[in-house]
Amino acid sequence: MRLLVTGGCGFIGANFLYAMRRNHPDWRLINLDKLTYAGNPGSLRALEAEAGDAYEFVHGDICDKDLVTSILTERGVDAIVNFAAESHVDRSIDDPAPFVTTNVLGAQNILDCARRAKVGRVVHVSTDEVYGSLGASGQFHETTPISPNSPYSASKAGADMMARAYHETYGQDVVVTRCSNNYGPYQFPEKLIPLMFTKATAGEPLPVYGDGENVRDWIFVEDHCRGVELALLKGHAGAVYNLGGASEMRNIDVVRTILRLTGQDESLIRFVADRPGHDKRYAMNFDLAARELGFAPSVTFAEGMKRTVAWYQDNTAWLDEVRSGAYRNFMDRWYKERA
Ligand code: NAD
Ligand code: DAU
């Protein structure tokens, strides 16, 4: 298998590349990444050192038709997993434009180049956020109407609709996965769990949006990667598969867990102005992926959090490396407005 992974220098893409190298040492892995503020080649240093010719990094944009086409044809790519995206909801509220460019137009370009180059399969990595928000009960099913609430989730929904259209119109082999909130090693410290870890470790206030009662369904990143791998190997062309962690948590409880694991006091918690359009609750029904792919999350929240906090404690150099000037500019402006 010659597999093109896009966005491999990001959080989930990097974890996925390590997992594919472990599970399929005979595969050739090509990673196309634009290296935005969220892309960190340092995350893949160990893979690069160990894999030799079995791994190749290409610095570039998924919106670049000529580049994507040349990668597909010159390397004889068999399948693509598209992780590349602008992924942070708060940044999409601050400036939606790059989200439309990469998440909609970039995804459409990947589909189009793949179709013309006759690539065997495209797995498009989407999100539970395309379904919008749940009340106190119920779950998202694959048949739940798409109802995104943020510029980020609207752009991801646009890409999902493109994936559907390319399958229906051209008969292209496209599989869409929609997963819940990931956590684990290499996650950029703008997202809730690594952000709260860095704040707690520094003894700084932890900014909890609104009343902290919003609920997310947390999945350890390795379980998500396994779900994407199964979709690649066993999914039906044209199918959408929900993936989740069966681990619903209120934000305030996630924050308390981090404080406990870092030995810090709850007096550091600060309730700050809510995120505009903040989705109340996500919960995934992944019966279809369980039935058709054999997917099941294997890491409990308690175990995954212990591993995650230990990883960040052991990798402070990685954290320092990714918290560049671009990171600080956005973070300072965004949280100043919420205080
Ligand atoms: P991330 O922000 O950590 O990484 C995104 C990567 O994509 C970065 O390496 C970045 O440089 C790269 N990239 C951005 N624009 C690009 C472009 N135009 N061309 C090439 N590369 C580009 O994101 P993540 O959290 O790893 O998410 C990966 C994918 O999974 C996204 O599609 C996201 O929507 C989806 N997803 C994420 C979660 C989650 O909880 N993080 C859950 C479900 C789905
Ligand atoms: O559900 C899947 C999605 O999960 C992915 O598609 C997105 O790419 C990913 O970023 C994530 O989106 P969320 O908005 O759910 O994740 P985030 O870590 O930004 O926030 C999680 C919850 O924590 C959310 O309810 C907002 C809250 N929060 C977040 C931050 C950054 C806070 O209370 N304070 C904060 O400072």
Side-chain angles (χ1 to χ4, degrees), residues 6-14 31-45 55 57-60 83-87 91 186-191 318 321-324 326-327:
T6 69
C9 296
F11 162 46
I12 306 171
N31 170 20
L32 171 64
D33 198 296
K34 186 178 170 182
L35 298 181
T36 66
Y37 77 93
N40 180 28
S43 302
L44 294 166
R45 248 171 235 140
Y55 170 71
F57 172 63
V58 181
H59 183 196
F83 288 102
E86 291 291 339
S87 70
R91 283 181 189 260
Y186 301 111
Q187 186 167 31
F188 198 75
E190 64 187 356
K191 306 285 165 60
W318 181 90
E321 197 174 323
V322 301
R323 284 184 294 175
S324 65
Y327 168 84

Side-chain angles (χ1 to χ4, degrees), residues 232-280:
L232 172 67
L233 296 174
K234 296 164 94 176
H236 292 115
V240 174
Y241 294 103
N242 282 355
L243 303 171
S247 202
E248 281 186 55
M249 301 280 295
R250 294 183 310 163
N251 290 342
I252 189 66
D253 295 328
V254 174
V255 168
R256 287 190 179 125
T257 303
I258 294 166
L259 288 169
R260 206 173 49 248
L261 289 171
T262 52
Q264 291 287 21
D265 195 87
E266 289 194 11
S267 60
L268 286 177
I269 294 173
R270 294 285 183 284
F271 292 98
V272 300
D274 209 352
R275 169 187 281 175
H278 196 174
D279 288 335
K280 186 69 184 173

Side-chain angles (χ1 to χ4, degrees), residues 3 5 7-25 27 29 31 40-51 54-55 83 185-186 221-222 225-226 229 311 315 318:
L3 181 68
V5 174
C9 296
F11 162 46
I12 306 171
N15 279 281
F16 183 77
L17 283 166
Y18 279 112
M20 292 311 97
R21 178 70 190 148
R22 271 195 308 274
N23 298 350
H24 309 280
W27 286 10
L29 303 169
N31 170 20
N40 180 28
S43 302
L44 294 166
R45 248 171 235 140
L47 178 73
E48 225 153 25
E50 174 275 321
Y55 170 71
F83 288 102
Y186 301 111
V221 64
E222 285 177 10
C225 291
R226 179 69 186 141
E229 179 185 11
W311 187 87
N315 288 275
W318 181 90

Side-chain angles (χ1 to χ4, degrees), residues 259-324:
L259 288 169
R260 206 173 49 248
L261 289 171
T262 52
Q264 291 287 21
D265 195 87
E266 289 194 11
S267 60
L268 286 177
I269 294 173
R270 294 285 183 284
F271 292 98
V272 300
D274 209 352
R275 169 187 281 175
H278 196 174
D279 288 335
K280 186 69 184 173
R281 177 173 163 262
Y282 306 144
M284 289 303 257
N285 179 295
F286 50 84
D287 289 351
L288 182 68
R291 211 167 48 241
E292 289 195 1
L293 308 179
F295 169 80
S298 65
V299 180
T300 63
F301 186 74
E303 174 58 24
M305 282 301 288
K306 266 193 223 147
R307 285 171 63 179
T308 302
V309 167
W311 187 87
Y312 280 99
Q313 284 169 337
D314 291 345
N315 288 275
T316 47
W318 181 90
L319 268 178
D320 293 342
E321 197 174 323
V322 301
R323 284 184 294 175
S324 65

